[in-house]
Amino acid sequence: MQAWRAAPVPTVPRTDSDDLKIFDSAAQEIVTLGPRHGIARMYVCGITPYDATHMGHANTYVTFDLLNRVWRDHGLDVKYTQNVTDVDDPLLERADQTGVDWRDLAADQIQLFRDDMEALNVIPPADYVGAVESVGLITDLIDELQQRGSIYAVDDPDYPDLYFRRKSDDDFGSLGHLEGAQALAVFAERGGDPDRPGKEDPLDCLVWRLERPGEPAWDSPFGRGRPGWHIECTAIALQKLGTDFDVQGGGSDLVFPHHEMCAAEARVATGRPLARAYVHGGMVGLDGEKMSKSLGNLVLVSQLREQGTDPMAIRLALLANRYREDWFWTDDLLRSAERRLQRWREAVRLDAGLGAAEVITQIRSALNHDLDAPTALAAVDAWAGASLAADCDDTEAPRQVAEAVDALLGIRL
Ligand code: 5CA
Ligand code: ZN
């Protein structure tokens, strides 16, 4: 798939050389993320394209866009891969319910997602890869796992689908930190099938689902069928980024089982860790519940854009929250982001402002400390307030701050 368009990031001279420190879900502590020089490699789990981008998705992709911007600011080349789960149960179910071909539904929603991301000034990934175009890669990886003795056919005479034996990975559990009944419950809640008869272990995950009537299927050495979810990301990530890449990211609903399974499959297939760190954004909710396509409690980026909301105000509303916390979307949040945007725009249109060096250092330092966007926004608020309140004489400052805010925070003023 083609990457989508986005404006290049202007460069702002860097004055401080802090490393990026971020919370790693596997280590359960703040770690230094990315190399000092050269190429940083990031894999972020992409959408399942059956409905439009809501504030939860937007928050996740804006979070990793901040990470991307911090690394670029550090002078690194960022190799960014994102998948798109363009064949999976929820997509096929929605296509069935609405009488639309699943391929058309996916194509429409992918386009809408790209448009939303472009509006939110999200720098696109270098590789944007679908599951459908990766079926060959996926079956190669299943084959590799099978040769290592970690694949079996479930004991089901009708559909002996293939499963990954999670006990073949000694480190299984090192990411999700879940045990026993809790692991089973979360697995069931997030697409797993712990109760399916014929499995060796309830936590084993599906890697190849044999063809069912009316479902899309591809030829493979294991019979016609379609890939399971986790193996899709493992195969795409390994192909595009190799092992030991810097970060795998997504929302916190992906820690377990999704990222746990990806990590386990990669360890068994290659003997190496998939990623060095795993970073997760919090869940965005509405009216007391997690925002989700299946619940239908959604605020959509495209809907707000249609109503004339400035996408930069949406982005500012997201950035006003700590990325790792769970929070609820409200109209007030958007209103206050609109006021903030207005104020920042007034300040960068002044003929002169308060010197830019300090505020730029503050933004950088805040982002380096676990992507603390709210502190970065507060620094810009302070600069704008001071510049609007007093007669300042730095005629370069407004332009420099506008450039830094665009480059580092992705807010176009
Ligand atoms: N295709 C898979 C990942 S391989 C998937 O989870 N797709 S998704 O469309 O359901 O979600 C896309 C991304 O948005 C994931 O990173 C997910 O963690 C994140 N996400 C979904 N709902 C929310 C939410 N309410 N708040 C924050 N992030 C969310
Ligand atoms: Zn994924």
Side-chain angles (χ1 to χ4, degrees):
M1 262 180 223
Q2 294 281 305
W4 60 86
R5 283 178 296 116
V9 186
T11 47
V12 180
R14 186 149 171 264
T15 49
D16 100 285
S17 58
D18 270 0
D19 293 323
L20 170 62
K21 303 277 198 325
I22 200 160
F23 187 82
D24 171 16
S25 305
Q28 293 279 295
E29 64 183 18
I30 302 269
V31 299
T32 300
L33 196 71
R36 277 262 155 77
H37 311 281
I39 301 172
R41 293 170 298 157
M42 165 160 86
Y43 184 95
V44 178
C45 282
I47 55 162
T48 305
Y50 69 95
D51 207 338
T53 318
H54 62 57
M55 290 307 156
H57 306 130
N59 190 56
T60 295
Y61 299 111
V62 165
T63 293
F64 290 95
D65 188 54
L66 279 187
L67 203 165
N68 192 354
R69 285 167 186 275
V70 169
W71 269 342
R72 285 165 173 247
D73 184 49
H74 289 195
L76 299 172
D77 286 327
V78 182
K79 187 154 169 44
Y80 178 8
T81 301
Q82 194 181 118
N83 69 305
V84 48
T85 308
D86 56 1
V87 60
D88 201 6
D89 298 345
L91 170 69
L92 299 173
E93 281 159 21
R94 179 65 62 90
D96 246 11
Q97 288 158 10
T98 52
V100 182
D101 185 281
W102 63 276
R103 281 160 290 222
D104 295 337
L105 175 60
D108 287 352
Q109 294 305 325
I110 289 167
Q111 190 55 51
L112 185 58
F113 172 70
R114 291 174 166 202
D115 293 344
D116 286 339
M117 290 300 110
E118 210 172 303
L120 292 174
N121 204 15
V122 169
I123 303 169
D127 301 303
Y128 187 54
V129 189
V132 169
E133 65 187 294
S134 306
V135 167
L137 277 184
I138 296 168
T139 55
D140 284 353
L141 179 60
I142 298 173
D143 190 54
E144 179 71 43
L145 289 168
Q146 193 166 42
Q147 288 179 36
R148 288 166 191 266
S150 53
I151 298 291
Y152 67 92
V154 72
D155 186 9
D156 175 337
D158 297 325
Y159 297 111
D161 302 320
L162 298 189
Y163 279 74
F164 170 68
R165 217 174 246 132
R166 61 106 181 180
K167 284 194 175 135
S168 54
D169 172 43
D170 293 339
D171 286 335
F172 187 91
S174 57
L175 174 52
H177 307 285
L178 293 175
E179 308 233 348
Q182 216 189 348
L184 286 173
V186 177
F187 185 58
E189 200 181 295
R190 298 183 182 157
D193 54 359
D195 299 326
R196 179 165 182 189
K199 287 175 71 170
E200 290 181 6
D201 181 302
L203 286 178
D204 290 343
C205 72
L206 176 77
V207 293
W208 190 253
R209 177 178 159 93
L210 295 168
E211 183 172 18
R212 311 292 202 267
E215 287 189 7
W218 291 264
D219 288 329
S220 89
F222 327 107
R224 280 178 66 76
R226 61 180 166 97
W229 173 30
H230 316 302
I231 196 84
E232 163 196 346
C233 283
T234 317
I236 295 171
L238 284 175
Q239 207 241 356
K240 292 294 177 190
L241 301 175
T243 62
D244 300 80
F245 56 83
D246 294 287
V247 65
Q248 180 170 21
S252 60
D253 57 342
L254 298 187
V255 175
F256 189 89
H258 186 50
H259 289 171
E260 185 90 60
M261 293 296 179
C262 293
E265 290 165 348
R267 267 191 300 263
V268 172
T270 69
R272 298 291 315 165
L274 184 62
R276 297 197 166 119
Y278 296 84
V279 172
H280 297 97
M283 287 294 111
V284 179
L286 185 73
D287 304 331
E289 294 226 61
K290 173 187 162 186
M291 203 178 278
S292 79
K293 295 172 199 175
S294 50
L295 287 175
N297 58 337
L298 306 176
V299 177
L300 304 178
V301 175
S302 48
Q303 215 171 39
L304 290 182
R305 290 204 288 129
E306 267 167 37
Q307 294 163 7
T309 305
D310 188 324
M312 291 299 98
I314 302 175
R315 185 166 171 126
L316 266 183
L318 302 172
L319 293 180
N321 300 276
R322 286 305 311 271
Y323 84 92
R324 272 202 281 140
E325 274 162 25
D326 296 340
W327 53 275
F328 292 100
W329 177 266
T330 61
D331 284 342
D332 278 354
L333 192 63
L334 183 59
R335 298 286 92 80
S336 88
E338 284 171 335
R339 285 194 297 273
R340 179 176 249 158
L341 184 62
Q342 170 75 23
R343 201 167 162 73
W344 289 11
R345 285 192 169 143
E346 275 171 36
V348 299
R349 278 163 186 63
L350 291 168
D351 292 331
L354 193 70
E358 190 182 342
V359 63
I360 294 176
T361 302
Q362 287 167 339
I363 298 170
R364 284 185 163 126
S365 157
L367 294 180
N368 279 333
H369 290 93
D370 203 18
L371 300 178
D372 184 355
T375 298
L377 302 195
V380 182
D381 287 341
W383 175 85
S387 298
L388 287 163
D391 272 341
C392 301
D393 53 9
D394 190 330
T395 54
E396 295 294 309
R399 182 189 53 79
Q400 288 169 334
V401 172
E403 249 181 53
V405 164
D406 188 341
L408 298 168
L409 297 170
I411 301 292
R412 286 198 191 109
L413 294 176

